[in-house]
């Protein structure tokens, strides 16, 4: 792509550090995290597919999240591992575009399933006896399919806008993957229209699901307060705890990175936050949804036996 007499053919990833010892430590750390991510999410999907007790709407949504997390980690981690131990830290322009597009598409696709899960929690609490009729599998698929479609449509819009910017200074990305803040830092010229598009995509893919989740939990709280027994209330609240933890960590990190104006981008600080939701979070999701889950533990014990 040619912009202002400067042709960008590839980008150079700075990563975290140039110290070879620290790079080796980071390589081992990221390799361990990726191994745990692959093992955890694959195990979760196998259990949900094989155990008939887990063929419910809640586990349908959890299985989709595991699939997205598994795919998501494969977009970033291989290149991060290569960057840690290789002297060649470059990525081609086409490779950067592909990495950016798929990471954005998977990020946006993962934004709506938590909203569907919040609605599922509400139906499970408010319509316990009619739950299976209220949440048939076709309705669950109807919730998930548009999230994939909308996620990648929005990813195309953001990718097109990002790589239409004028990269007229240099090709050094001060990060370990192709992301919005470091790429915007490389660009020059007018960025106001791009920021407007970015805020629109953020509102449609992050703010809207958050509003839906808040609305669902307001109904959940209203329903729980009608339960007379204290034990019943605590049990109802406990079913939502894992989901609330996951939602807070995921949306919180995304909003921190992408909702700020360009002038407040701090690449060193952003690296830490982006590492959390790109590398660490896909590993945490299986733990969050399975450690306190009796059905999941029983399914795992049955599989191991």
């Amino acid at each position: 792509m040619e912009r202002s007499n400067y042709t960008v053919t590839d980008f150079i990833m700075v990563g975290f550090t140039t110290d070879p010892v620290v790079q080796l430590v980071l390589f081992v750390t990221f390799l361990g995290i990726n191994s745990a991510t692959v093992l955890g999410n694959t195990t979760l999907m196998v259990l949900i597919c094989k155990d008939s007790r887990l063929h419910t709407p809640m586990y349908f949504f959890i299985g989709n999240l595991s699939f997205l997390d598994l795919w998501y980690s494969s977009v970033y981690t291989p290149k991060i591992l290569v960057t840690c131990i290789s002297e060649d830290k470059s990525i081609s322009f086409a490779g950067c575009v592909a990495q950016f597009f798929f990471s954005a598409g998977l990020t946006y696709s993962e934004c709506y399933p938590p909203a569907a899960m919040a609605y599922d929690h509400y139906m499970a609490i408010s319509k316990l006896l009619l739950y299976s009729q209220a949440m048939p599998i076709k309705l669950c698929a109807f919730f998930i399919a548009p999230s994939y479609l909308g996620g990648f449509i929005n990813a195309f819009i953001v990718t097109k806008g990002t790589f239409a910017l004028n990269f007229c200074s240099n090709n050094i990305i001060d990060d370990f993957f192709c992301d919005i803040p470091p790429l915007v830092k490389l660009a020059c010229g007018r960025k106001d229209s791009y920021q407007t598009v970015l805020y629109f995509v953020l509102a449609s893919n992050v703010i809207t699901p958050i509003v839906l989740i808040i609305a669902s939990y307001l109904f959940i709280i209203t329903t729980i307060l009608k339960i007379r027994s204290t034990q019943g209330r605590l049990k109802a609240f406990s079913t939502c705890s894992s989901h609330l933890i996951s939602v807070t960590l995921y949306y919180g990190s995304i909003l921190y990175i992408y909702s700020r104006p360009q002038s407040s981008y701090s690449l060193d600080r952003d690296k830490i936050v982006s590492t959390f939701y790109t590398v660490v979070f896909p590993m945490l999701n299986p733990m969050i949804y399975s450690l306190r889950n009796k059905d999941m533990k029983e399914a795992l014990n049955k599989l191991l036996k």
Side-chain angles (χ1 to χ4, degrees):
M1 184 173 67
E2 190 172 328
R3 291 288 185 271
S4 303
N5 299 323
Y6 185 85
T7 303
V8 177
T9 57
D10 59 6
F11 294 99
I12 306 299
M13 301 287 189
V14 173
F16 288 97
T17 179
T18 57
D19 187 323
V21 176
V22 178
Q23 285 183 339
L24 182 60
V25 172
L26 289 174
F27 173 81
V28 175
T29 302
F30 286 132
L31 181 62
I33 291 174
N34 185 62
S35 300
T37 299
V38 173
L39 179 62
N41 285 290
T42 302
T43 301
L44 211 59
M45 289 189 293
V46 170
L47 291 178
I48 291 171
C49 290
K50 290 185 68 66
D51 198 307
S52 59
R53 292 173 299 176
L54 304 182
H55 294 174
T56 64
M58 181 180 71
Y59 294 110
F60 175 81
F61 294 129
I62 292 175
N64 272 275
L65 287 179
S66 291
F67 170 73
L68 288 170
D69 285 336
L70 193 61
W71 190 6
Y72 192 69
S73 65
S74 68
V75 172
Y76 291 114
T77 309
K79 186 60 181 177
I80 294 174
L81 293 174
V82 171
T83 303
C84 286
I85 60 173
S86 174
E87 293 183 0
D88 181 13
K89 302 185 183 302
S90 64
I91 182 172
S92 67
F93 185 87
C96 188
V97 172
Q99 187 187 70
F100 186 97
F101 171 75
F102 282 106
S103 64
L106 293 168
T107 299
Y108 300 148
S109 297
E110 195 165 342
C111 285
Y112 275 95
M117 292 175 72
Y119 177 75
D120 174 63
H121 284 313
Y122 167 66
M123 298 303 291
I125 294 172
S126 64
K127 300 182 182 297
L128 182 60
L129 298 179
L130 300 175
Y131 175 60
S132 58
Q133 288 83 7
M135 288 293 293
I137 194 65
K138 289 183 179 180
L139 180 61
C140 298
F142 176 78
F143 284 149
I144 292 297
S147 69
Y148 283 82
L149 179 62
F152 280 95
I153 289 175
N154 282 296
F156 175 79
I157 295 171
V158 174
T159 303
K160 183 180 179 181
T162 301
F163 289 92
L165 294 171
N166 298 329
F167 301 113
C168 55
S169 55
N170 59 63
N171 64 337
I172 299 176
I173 295 179
D174 190 8
D175 210 330
F176 59 92
F177 69 102
C178 296
D179 199 15
I180 289 174
L183 288 170
V184 171
K185 284 284 188 182
L186 290 181
C188 59
R190 292 183 60 83
K191 307 174 189 176
D192 296 341
S193 59
Y194 173 75
Q195 194 73 45
T196 302
V197 172
L198 183 60
Y199 283 149
F200 169 76
V201 172
L202 188 70
S204 61
N205 289 278
V206 181
I207 304 300
T208 301
I210 289 176
V211 171
L212 294 173
I213 290 171
I214 292 174
S216 294
Y217 272 101
L218 288 176
F219 284 112
I220 288 173
I221 292 171
T222 302
T223 303
I224 290 176
L225 291 177
K226 295 178 182 178
I227 300 175
R228 295 182 179 181
S229 68
T230 304
Q231 186 178 1
R233 291 180 181 179
L234 292 175
K235 184 178 179 180
F237 274 121
S238 66
T239 60
C240 305
S241 59
S242 299
H243 180 254
L244 286 172
I245 294 171
S246 177
V247 163
T248 303
L249 293 175
Y250 187 66
Y251 290 122
S253 57
I254 290 179
L255 287 174
Y256 175 80
I257 291 289
Y258 302 113
S259 64
R260 295 171 297 142
Q262 300 164 13
S263 58
S264 66
Y265 286 164
S266 173
L267 297 184
D268 290 336
R269 188 171 62 243
D270 291 349
K271 286 180 191 179
I272 299 173
V273 180
S274 58
T275 300
F276 176 79
Y277 83 84
T278 57
V279 179
V280 179
F281 187 78
M283 177 191 68
L284 292 180
N285 248 350
M287 300 179 186
I288 292 172
Y289 286 113
S290 63
L291 285 180
R292 297 177 58 193
N293 192 306
K294 181 181 177 182
D295 292 336
M296 196 68 72
K297 290 178 180 177
E298 290 178 354
L300 180 60
N301 290 331
K302 180 180 177 182
L303 181 67
L304 293 176
K305 291 178 181 179

